[in-house]
Amino acid sequence: MPKEDTQFSTDNQPKGRGKAKKSLMLDAIRAVCVDEQEFLKQVVTIGLGDAINEVAPNPTLLTLVLNRIEPPLKSVTPTYKFDFDPEADLHKQAKQVLDAMAKGEIPSDVGQLFITSISSMLNIQEKTDFEERLKAIEDASKQD
């Protein structure tokens, strides 16, 4: 197969390529509604129901509309105080967290979050140390 056949150009495009689903949906909305305001009015009407036209309320649609207007708040973990030395070795920090969990100073899910974070820090430290040692070896081998 010649190379020209495999390169895309204005004349050579993949077959079956069409509009994205989002574009198709917007085209369908534009065919029914004059503008965005009319579309939103129809969505709210369907969500709340329409007694005059005997349209039953659609709770799912109403929930979607309300979540767009006022998204639900994301949960935030409360602040806890316990003995923690950020300068200690990572294994000692993990022990501090386990001790705080055992004493009931922090809940287990928060303790697990700490332990996971400490583990990630250990992985970063190991990779950084490895890269530094490798660079030192490469530099030493270049000098020989």
Side-chain angles (χ1 to χ4, degrees), residues 38-142:
E38 183 183 342
F39 170 73
L40 294 174
K41 183 179 177 185
Q42 286 189 21
V43 169
V44 170
T45 300
I46 293 169
L48 294 174
D50 185 0
I52 296 170
N53 296 318
E54 297 181 2
V55 176
N58 184 331
T60 304
L61 182 58
L62 186 57
T63 301
L64 291 171
V65 170
L66 291 174
N67 283 339
R68 283 290 185 172
I69 295 169
E70 186 66 40
L73 297 175
K74 292 183 180 180
S75 63
V76 178
T77 304
T79 303
Y80 296 96
K81 290 187 179 190
F82 66 98
D83 290 332
F84 184 79
D85 181 7
E87 301 301 321
D89 292 335
L90 296 176
H91 70 279
K92 290 181 181 176
Q93 289 179 351
K95 184 177 180 329
Q96 292 170 355
V97 172
L98 290 174
D99 288 344
M101 288 169 49
K103 293 176 187 173
E105 296 174 343
I106 59 173
S108 60
D109 60 332
V110 173
Q112 181 61 41
L113 181 63
F114 265 99
I115 298 293
T116 302
S117 299
I118 291 169
S119 176
S120 295
M121 286 296 299
L122 182 60
N123 287 337
I124 292 169
Q125 184 177 3
E126 286 175 350
K127 288 177 183 176
T128 303
D129 291 347
F130 178 76
E131 287 173 0
E132 288 173 355
R133 290 194 317 254
L134 182 61
K135 185 171 180 353
I137 291 170
E138 288 174 346
D139 290 346
S141 68
K142 289 179 184 176

